[in-house]
Amino acid sequence: MKVIDEHGLSVGLIEPAELPGRPWLSAGQHIDVVRMLRPPADAVPELAEHGFVVKPEMLTWLARLGSDEDEFLARLETRPRQDIRRAQRRAGVLREVVQDQVEPETLDRFLALYEERVAAMKFGVPYAKRHRETVLNGPQKYFGVFAFDGEELVGGCLVAECPEVSAIRIRFSAVDEYWRTTASLARTLYFTAMRTARSKGYTWATLGDEPNLYGHLTQIGLFSFKVQTGFEAVPSQDFGDPTGCDEADLVLGLTALNDPCLILGYPPRPHADRKLRGYLMTADESLPRKFRADFLEGVELRALPR
């Protein structure tokens, strides 16, 4: 077993041949998660016996755009639909700008806000900065949606166009803390991006790909936010990700993870439709199960030590 540091998380990587010996029990060092990359099908039953969750490494959050915004909102439950309309009303005092070709000065102001927000995260990684040249000069086409309070940029998102799958990917977003808490500004920006995508003839919108371990690089609150915004998670390899694959994770404890943490994995007997199940890891067995969604085959609660 090889132990690596993954952005503050101690991960023990094992091969199928090592599984019967359970080397994580005698590692002699702290391990947060034991992981098998690309587990072979014949190892899945034994992995389940040891408590591993076989899961897509990355998730794509996906929604069909529909003919217009009213049709999209009609799919949502009453409360999330009201929350979106309320966010749009509160953000109405801001000046919203869509840049079909993102301007360098605006991009740099957005990246400064983005890095400020990422710095406040426990395990934040400023991925967007690495894509500055691509956003400005391609080869992939981006557009941007930005919100200004007077002359101050207080929120924005960068959107990649993917004509090969008739989709947009809302890849990077950042919102000033005040406008995040008082107006849930990200919702308004996303819906403007989707309105723009419809005008360009796209069929799908995604909120990009993200690691399938909520409570580490991705915060668990993002799960509820994305469900309530009308998106559902699918394995990234099922929607155009050529590098997407499966892995198996065994979470040993919550020392380095947030409590609770959440994995979207396959049920013990996966369905042909690739439906996922939620696995909620927590030290609090009385925690309400807030992480249900129509696209999930239930949520399983697993008690873990902090």
Side-chain angles (χ1 to χ4, degrees), residues 69-135:
E69 190 165 290
D70 288 339
E71 179 192 329
F72 189 97
L73 289 172
R75 305 175 206 159
L76 307 185
E77 295 182 1
T78 300
R79 180 61 182 274
R81 184 167 60 248
Q82 291 173 339
D83 288 345
I84 289 163
R85 290 302 194 199
R86 186 180 303 111
Q88 290 173 326
R89 288 194 299 272
R90 290 177 176 172
V93 299
L94 300 175
R95 177 170 57 93
E96 195 173 72
V97 176
V98 177
Q99 294 184 355
D100 190 57
Q101 182 65 50
V102 180
E103 298 172 1
E105 189 268 342
T106 306
L107 177 58
D108 288 338
R109 292 173 69 182
F110 167 80
L111 290 174
L113 174 61
Y114 175 87
E115 292 186 29
E116 176 187 310
R117 302 304 303 149
V118 169
M121 300 176 182
K122 184 177 181 181
F123 297 116
V125 180
Y127 290 112
K129 188 174 181 180
R130 305 174 188 176
H131 295 266
R132 182 182 185 277
E133 289 306 311
T134 301
V135 172

Side-chain angles (χ1 to χ4, degrees), residues 187-246:
R187 283 185 169 91
T188 301
L189 296 170
Y190 290 177
F191 273 79
T192 299
M194 289 191 284
R195 207 175 304 128
T196 304
R198 286 189 197 95
S199 73
K200 289 172 173 280
Y202 289 108
T203 304
W204 300 95
T206 88
L207 298 181
D209 301 336
E210 62 191 19
N212 186 6
L213 181 59
Y214 292 91
H216 181 223
L217 295 179
T218 46
Q219 299 303 299
I220 197 164
L222 285 175
F223 173 85
S224 298
F225 173 82
K226 292 178 178 181
V227 170
Q228 292 167 8
T229 309
F231 288 75
E232 64 179 60
V234 300
S236 69
Q237 61 264 42
D238 291 0
F239 194 77
D241 179 4
T243 64
C245 63
D246 290 340

Side-chain angles (χ1 to χ4, degrees), residues 121-190:
M121 300 176 182
K122 184 177 181 181
F123 297 116
V125 180
Y127 290 112
K129 188 174 181 180
R130 305 174 188 176
H131 295 266
R132 182 182 185 277
E133 289 306 311
T134 301
V135 172
L136 293 176
N137 302 309
Q140 188 170 27
K141 170 72 168 59
Y142 277 79
F143 67 86
V145 181
F146 306 103
F148 294 85
D149 183 1
E151 295 303 312
E152 181 185 2
L153 190 150
V154 295
C157 60
L158 301 176
V159 185
E161 299 186 33
C162 307
E164 68 278 7
V165 289
S166 190
I168 61 159
R169 292 184 183 271
I170 303 174
R171 291 206 62 188
F172 307 108
S173 66
V175 172
D176 170 88
E177 178 65 17
Y178 173 81
W179 287 102
R180 185 188 71 83
T181 57
T182 61
S184 191
L185 179 57
R187 283 185 169 91
T188 301
L189 296 170
Y190 290 177

Side-chain angles (χ1 to χ4, degrees), residues 287-299:
L287 184 74
R289 299 187 181 186
K290 302 177 181 178
F291 304 98
R292 300 189 182 277
D294 289 342
F295 66 86
L296 291 180
E297 188 206 68
V299 178

